[in-house]
């Protein structure tokens, strides 16, 4: 015995038979004969997405390029950003990061250069520049510019040799040690920030592509919501996984309004189909069953609805081992009912070739306009009708044998042979 969900799901061929008789199905091209791949058979002509009536524009929650369209406002506890200054610097825009990088070094050099000049001024080294018997703190330091250059030489460990510290200046020795330590810390911090910013894995997400539209059509007799993902690079994403979320505002039974409520769309978590081997483009399918939020959504209801589907692809970059995440979204106008994706994979001489020119193309297929629930109920009624209208072969055989015997029931041997007892005497008289 199958589960209740399997009972409600239409059997194979039922939806296809209904497509020929039910006007609710939209016509489409037939499948290529012999089960050949579409790239090896006659390819259907791709069609432009059907025009839909104008509707109120919806603000995207996630842009097509994966950028989240949310801004943080009225954040009064701004000190929290300083507690994680490294992440704050990495998240800055490039022009601000470069400005901070230059200022970090320039201000450090100026700060320590000013201290070197103050030491020379306080010791009186600037007043004994021509005195050969005077031992200054730093030889050949005759002004602020010379102190600034000595600060750069000290922090960057250049050491030209013209300006050097003497052993008669303990405060200069202490300052030299302090600048060497702090300079190393500044170098490590700033170089680390720039390295992390350059090697951010979100740049790898730029070569992970999503189809421009999602489609709804039949797959194995069940309505499915599908979209396509692909990887443009030859280096693959390791441990890739896919998720999908439905973003739609809702109101609870108590009257509470929840804006942008998030609902998970199953893309194979229970069966492991959400874990991808993304070598060639894959079509990700969400089966519209009783647990799906689109279970009662027909074509017209879907077009009148207001929602956004956010898809998230995660995995590790094979070259660096860093975790990468790519995102995209589909609005109601970007969900095509009764379409299927054009095949992009073809077999060449010794290898498979992916044609990304057809990555976003779709074509129409016969698809019911009713909801998945109505389709399952129609299939269940059809199964019940077939079960009760077609008698079994055993019943037909028994009825034929009974009709051949006439009104009598024969002798005892016939009774045993037929395996049936004669009706009671009262019933036979009647």
């Amino acid at each position: 015995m199958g589960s209740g969900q399997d009972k409600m799901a239409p059997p194979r061929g039922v939806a296809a038979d209904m497509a020929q008789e039910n006007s609710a199905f939209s016509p489409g091209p037939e499948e290529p004969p012999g089960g050949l791949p579409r790239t090896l058979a006659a390819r259907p002509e791709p069609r432009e997405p059907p025009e839909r009536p104008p509707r109120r524009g919806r603000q995207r929650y996630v842009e097509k390029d994966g950028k989240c369209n949310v801004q943080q406002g009225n954040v009064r506890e701004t000190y929290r950003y300083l507690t994680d200054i490294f992440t704050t610097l990495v998240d800055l825009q490039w022009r601000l990061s470069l400005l901070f990088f230059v200022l970090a070094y320039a201000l450090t050099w100026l700060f320590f250069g000013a201290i070197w000049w103050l030491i020379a001024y306080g010791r009186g080294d600037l007043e004994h520049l021509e005195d050969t018997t005077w031992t200054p703190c730093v030889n050949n330091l005759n002004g602020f510019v010379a102190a600034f250059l000595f600060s750069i030489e000290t922090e960057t460990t250049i050491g030209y040799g013209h300006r050097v510290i003497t052993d008669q200046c303990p405060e200069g020795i202490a300052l030299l040690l302090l600048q060497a330590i702090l300079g190393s810390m500044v170098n490590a911090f700033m170089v680390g920030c720039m390295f992390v910013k350059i090697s951010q894995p979100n740049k790898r997400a730029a070569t992970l592509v999503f189809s421009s539209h999602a489609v709804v059509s039949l797959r194995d007799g069940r309505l499915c919501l599908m979209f396509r993902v692909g990887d443009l690079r030859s280096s693959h994403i390791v441990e890739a996984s896919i998720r999908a979320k439905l973003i739609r505002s809702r109101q609870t039974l108590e009257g509470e309004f929840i804006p942008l409520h998030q609902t998970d769309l199953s893309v194979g978590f229970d069966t492991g189909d959400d874990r991808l081997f993304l070598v060639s483009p894959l079509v990700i399918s969400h089966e519209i069953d009783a647990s799906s939020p689109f279970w009662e959504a027909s074509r017209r209801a879907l077009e009148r609805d207001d929602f956004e589907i956010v898809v998230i692809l995660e995995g590790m970059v094979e070259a660096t081992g860093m975790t990468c995440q790519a995102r995209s979204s589909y609005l109601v106008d970007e969900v095509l009912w009764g379409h299927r994706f054009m095949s992009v994979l073809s077999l060449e001489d010794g290898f498979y070739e992916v044609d990304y020119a057809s990555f976003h193309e779709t074509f129409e297929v016969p698809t019911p306009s009713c909801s998945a629930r109505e389709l399952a109920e129609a299939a269940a009624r059809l199964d019940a009708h077939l079960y009760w209208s077609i008698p079994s072969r055993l019943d037909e055989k028994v009825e034929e044998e009974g009709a051949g015997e006439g009104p009598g029931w024969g002798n005892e041997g016939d009774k045993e042979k037929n395996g049936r007892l004669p009706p009671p005497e009262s019933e036979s008289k009647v």
Side-chain angles (χ1 to χ4, degrees):
M1 295 295 292
S3 62
Q5 180 177 337
D6 295 335
K7 292 180 181 179
M8 292 298 294
R12 289 190 179 182
V14 172
D17 295 338
M18 294 174 64
Q20 306 299 328
E21 302 176 358
N22 191 350
S23 61
F25 284 71
S26 56
E30 297 180 354
E31 292 293 328
L36 293 176
R38 187 165 296 278
T39 52
L40 302 181
R43 293 169 61 94
E45 291 295 332
R47 302 185 180 182
E48 295 293 332
E51 295 184 0
R52 295 185 177 180
R55 55 183 295 148
R56 178 178 56 87
R58 175 190 171 93
Q59 182 64 52
R60 284 187 179 272
Y61 189 61
V62 176
E63 299 291 343
K64 297 293 287 186
D65 59 357
K67 181 182 178 181
C68 296
N69 197 14
V70 178
Q71 296 183 0
Q72 312 298 336
N74 296 327
V75 180
R76 299 180 180 180
E77 299 177 348
T78 54
Y79 66 90
R80 295 181 181 272
Y81 293 104
L82 299 179
T83 58
D84 189 11
I85 185 64
F86 187 84
T87 304
T88 301
L89 294 178
V90 172
D91 290 341
L92 290 177
Q93 297 180 358
W94 265 108
R95 58 179 179 269
L96 296 178
S97 296
L98 293 176
L99 178 61
F100 191 86
F101 185 84
V102 172
L103 289 178
Y105 283 103
L107 293 178
T108 304
W109 296 335
L110 286 173
F111 174 74
F112 283 101
I115 297 180
W116 284 114
W117 181 83
L118 289 176
I119 291 177
Y121 181 80
R123 285 172 50 87
D125 295 342
L126 300 179
E127 300 175 356
H128 299 81
L129 297 176
E130 304 298 333
D131 189 355
T132 56
T133 60
W134 180 265
T135 304
C137 182
V138 178
N139 289 330
N140 301 314
L141 197 153
N142 53 10
F144 181 79
V145 176
F148 177 71
L149 295 176
F150 179 72
S151 174
I152 296 177
E153 295 176 18
T154 302
E155 188 166 335
T156 57
T157 64
I158 295 176
Y160 291 117
H162 183 65
R163 283 174 287 270
V164 297
I165 189 173
T166 62
D167 56 359
Q168 302 297 323
C169 182
E171 61 270 27
I173 296 175
L175 181 61
L176 179 65
L177 295 175
L178 180 62
Q179 186 174 4
I181 295 173
L182 292 180
S184 300
M185 294 175 62
V186 171
N187 287 332
F189 188 83
M190 297 309 303
V191 172
C193 285
M194 297 303 295
F195 175 78
V196 171
K197 192 170 183 63
I198 292 174
S199 61
Q200 274 184 320
N202 55 7
K203 303 302 179 184
R204 177 64 174 87
T207 53
L208 298 174
V209 292
F210 296 86
S211 58
S212 59
H213 291 80
V215 299
V216 176
S217 61
L218 289 174
R219 174 173 280 191
D220 294 329
R222 297 175 175 89
L223 280 177
C224 295
L225 172 70
M226 294 171 284
F227 58 93
R228 183 150 59 185
V229 297
D231 188 1
L232 301 180
R233 288 188 178 273
S234 57
S235 60
H236 309 306
I237 296 294
V238 182
E239 296 292 334
S241 62
I242 191 74
R243 291 182 292 146
K245 286 187 174 293
L246 176 65
I247 310 297
R248 179 168 54 184
S249 302
R250 61 180 292 263
Q251 190 170 8
T252 64
L253 298 176
E254 295 78 14
E256 178 187 2
F257 179 75
I258 304 177
L260 302 178
H261 178 71
Q262 301 183 12
T263 305
D264 283 334
L265 296 179
S266 176
V267 288
F269 177 79
D270 297 334
T271 60
D273 292 337
D274 62 325
R275 295 184 287 274
L276 310 178
F277 182 52
L278 195 59
V279 177
S280 61
L282 299 176
V283 176
I284 310 301
S285 174
H286 163 66
E287 182 179 334
I288 304 178
D289 52 15
S291 61
S292 172
F294 300 115
W295 174 242
E296 299 182 355
S298 62
R299 179 172 186 171
R300 291 185 178 180
L302 192 71
E303 292 177 353
R304 292 194 303 264
D305 205 346
D306 189 15
F307 62 83
E308 182 176 355
I309 299 175
V310 177
V311 292
I312 305 170
L313 175 64
E314 292 180 324
M316 291 189 301
V317 182
E318 186 179 35
T320 62
M322 302 179 69
T323 303
C324 171
Q325 184 181 94
R327 298 179 295 267
S328 187
S329 67
Y330 302 98
L331 297 179
V332 178
D333 297 335
E334 297 169 344
V335 178
L336 305 180
W337 190 288
H339 281 244
R340 188 179 297 166
F341 287 109
M342 189 77 67
S343 179
V344 296
L345 193 62
S346 61
L347 178 61
E348 301 297 334
D349 188 10
F351 62 93
Y352 293 95
E353 182 178 2
V354 178
D355 180 18
Y356 276 98
S358 304
F359 183 82
H360 302 283
E361 294 181 357
T362 63
F363 61 95
E364 292 187 50
V365 292
T367 305
S369 298
C370 60
S371 65
R373 179 178 180 177
E374 295 172 344
L375 181 63
E377 291 175 351
R381 289 193 299 268
L382 181 60
D383 289 343
H385 174 72
L386 294 175
Y387 178 80
W388 292 106
S389 62
I390 302 177
S392 64
R393 293 181 179 270
L394 180 59
D395 293 339
E396 290 179 352
K397 183 177 180 181
V398 171
E399 290 178 0
E400 290 176 359
E401 291 177 353
E405 293 172 356
W409 283 87
N411 53 22
E412 296 295 334
D414 294 335
K415 297 175 185 179
E416 295 178 358
K417 181 178 179 181
N418 294 336
R420 296 185 296 175
L421 295 177
E425 184 176 355
S426 61
E427 294 183 5
S428 62
K429 291 181 180 180
V430 175

